[in-house]
Amino acid sequence: MTIRPGYDVIIVGAGSMGMSAGYHLARRGVKTLLIDAFDPPHTEGSHHGDTRLIRHAYSGGPAYIDMAKRADVLWQEAEQETGTKLLVRSGVLNAADSAVYSFAGRLAEAERRGVRVERLDAAEIRRRWPALNLTDRFEAMFEPDAGYLFSERCVAAYRQLALAHGAELRVHTPVRKVTARPGGVTVHTKHGEVHGAMAILSAGAWFETLEPYIHLPVRAVRKVVGWFESDSRAFDAGSFPGFTLGTEEGGYYGFPSIGGAGLKIGRHDTGQPWKPGDKLEPFGSEASDEGDLRRVLERYMPGAAGKLLRGAVCKYEHSPDEDFIIDRHPQHDHVLVAGGFSGHGFKFSSVVGEILADLVTDGRSGLNIKPFSLSRFDRPAQPDAGLTLEGIE
């Protein structure tokens, strides 16, 4: 019996990457179905918590920088199409103890790719932002054109645009399994089967639910962020930038206080393992939830180490090298896979969606996605390079 596909493309997982892909496909006239176990934007994945950094200066070759620059253009277009403010150019201060990290490689790559960056010593950091308590060992790379995205707004904007261009969205529809045949894909959901000519799997921290059909070498971990009261306006939006902070205590990232919400800070490294079906323990379940964040604030930003105003929990889905996975299924060319975004992928979701749409409609992307192939994990693992601030959100 021949099964006729009902859709050109079925997208499994309609979070930041999937929703963006749905928009880019639908606007090209591709009959697209988006399926999500929840109702995006939601709090069960990796895109909630108000804000995400957008930066353009990455190391490890030009692929990330070119993607970041294109992502920025696409976020601006989404703002214009929806009339919704998505991006704030607060600047991003990337500061680190020189004993644990050097910005030399990133500065050189950024300059080669036309990204505006400034190298600052500790004295200049303290002059510009006196509320920072950094020793002379610190140095920084400041990106004046960087900033932050309003993450839930971004997902909602792409949902609005995808539906306006004719995409369909099924929410509260968990996917049980995916099967493929020559020329088609069947997605088995809680509410029945749907058929498509192609599929995009962008299930985030929930990829394990799609095994054994696809196995990605990713591990999901529980992550926390907190918003803290400050004792001055020095940490307010408009005065203070987004930031990353490389310290002896670990790698951290954060945002200014937006509308009095408090300075937001999270830790990029560490995290408790999580897998689908596990309970995601709320903020405060572990003493380290607030303790790790407060310890760093008290040492480096004492004026922002006030009362905890709010805490939140989300998930990272780490690949072994913290680089993305954007590729075709190893056995099925008509199934695309996008995952392993490792806590720094959100800023790229606008362009990842475009890349996936290009792979569907053109068979290729104009951007270099070779570093994100699944086949790289067939090679022997490389030794741990230590703290890599380019991987911080």
Side-chain angles (χ1 to χ4, degrees):
M1 179 179 67
T2 300
I3 300 176
R4 296 182 179 276
Y7 298 91
D8 296 327
V9 180
I10 300 173
I11 299 173
V12 177
S16 51
M17 308 300 170
M19 199 69 80
S20 171
Y23 158 66
H24 285 289
L25 286 165
R27 73 177 297 194
R28 301 180 193 191
V30 177
K31 189 176 181 183
T32 304
L33 172 65
L34 294 136
I35 302 177
D36 201 89
F38 306 101
D39 190 356
H42 54 70
T43 60
E44 300 295 333
S46 304
H47 63 250
H48 63 285
D50 301 346
T51 49
R52 295 292 186 276
L53 294 177
I54 179 166
R55 303 177 290 113
H56 311 98
Y58 269 69
S59 65
Y64 277 119
I65 294 179
D66 291 347
M67 286 175 63
K69 291 168 68 175
R70 178 60 181 162
D72 195 297
V73 171
L74 293 171
W75 288 124
Q76 294 177 67
E77 291 180 0
E79 280 190 326
Q80 293 167 4
E81 290 186 56
T82 60
T84 303
K85 184 66 175 175
L86 304 177
L87 168 61
V88 175
R89 296 199 189 280
S90 62
V92 172
L93 177 70
N94 304 274
D97 185 331
S98 59
V100 299
Y101 186 80
S102 169
F103 292 104
R106 286 170 67 182
L107 285 160
E109 193 66 64
E111 290 169 359
R112 281 194 291 268
R113 308 303 292 181
V115 176
R116 283 207 305 156
V117 290
E118 302 174 40
R119 186 168 194 163
L120 310 178
D121 62 18
E124 180 63 14
I125 299 169
R126 293 191 296 260
R127 187 188 70 80
R128 295 194 191 187
W129 298 282
L132 288 172
N133 180 36
L134 304 181
T135 69
D136 288 342
R137 288 199 320 194
F138 274 77
E139 60 181 11
M141 178 182 69
F142 180 62
E143 301 178 57
D145 299 324
Y148 52 87
L149 296 157
F150 293 108
S151 52
E152 287 99 338
R153 287 188 204 174
C154 290
V155 175
Y158 273 137
R159 175 174 174 160
Q160 173 189 333
L161 292 171
L163 297 180
H165 284 280
E168 295 180 37
L169 171 64
R170 298 188 187 182
V171 300
H172 302 300
T173 304
V175 171
R176 303 304 194 199
K177 66 176 180 176
V178 180
T179 56
R181 60 192 183 281
V185 176
T186 298
V187 177
H188 308 257
T189 80
K190 178 181 178 181
H191 305 300
E193 298 178 356
V194 286
H195 309 288
M198 296 185 68
I200 294 172
L201 309 181
S202 53
W206 298 85
F207 258 106
E208 191 174 336
T209 63
L210 301 180
E211 295 181 356
Y213 178 75
I214 182 69
H215 173 72
L216 296 189
V218 300
R219 61 180 182 89
V221 296
R222 171 185 178 272
K223 302 296 295 182
V224 300
V225 292
W227 288 257
F228 291 81
E229 188 174 50
S230 60
D231 63 5
S232 75
R233 304 294 298 274
F235 296 100
D236 285 359
S239 300
F240 201 68
F243 64 89
T244 68
L245 192 61
T247 73
E248 294 176 329
E249 293 86 357
Y252 293 79
Y253 64 92
F255 306 81
S257 177
I258 302 168
L263 181 133
K264 176 185 170 184
I265 185 170
R267 183 171 183 176
H268 176 72
D269 54 338
T270 72
Q272 293 83 32
W274 179 89
K275 62 181 180 180
D278 287 354
K279 179 182 178 182
L280 188 66
E281 297 292 343
F283 186 96
S285 300
E286 301 283 339
S288 60
D289 289 353
E290 180 178 349
D292 282 358
L293 306 180
R294 181 173 295 283
R295 188 176 305 110
V296 165
L297 289 176
E298 288 175 345
R299 182 169 181 181
Y300 302 105
M301 305 179 195
K307 180 174 67 175
L308 175 71
L309 300 176
R310 175 186 166 199
V313 180
C314 66
K315 308 174 189 77
Y316 275 15
E317 29 135 2
H318 282 297
S319 71
D321 55 12
E322 295 195 11
D323 286 325
F324 305 160
I325 299 169
I326 305 172
D327 205 349
R328 297 184 185 276
H329 189 289
Q331 284 81 45
H332 308 293
D333 282 350
H334 54 306
V335 177
L336 303 177
V337 179
F341 291 102
S342 303
H344 64 115
F346 187 90
K347 66 181 75 66
F348 296 98
S349 56
S350 59
V351 71
V352 170
E354 183 181 61
I355 288 169
L356 294 168
D358 288 343
L359 293 174
V360 168
T361 60
D362 305 330
R364 61 180 298 277
S365 170
L367 291 168
N368 177 21
I369 59 171
K370 289 181 180 179
F372 312 129
S373 69
L374 263 171
S375 63
R376 74 184 189 268
F377 299 114
D378 297 334
R379 300 188 292 270
Q382 298 299 309
D384 186 357
L387 184 64
T388 56
L389 294 188
E390 53 270 23
I392 292 181
E393 174 64 55

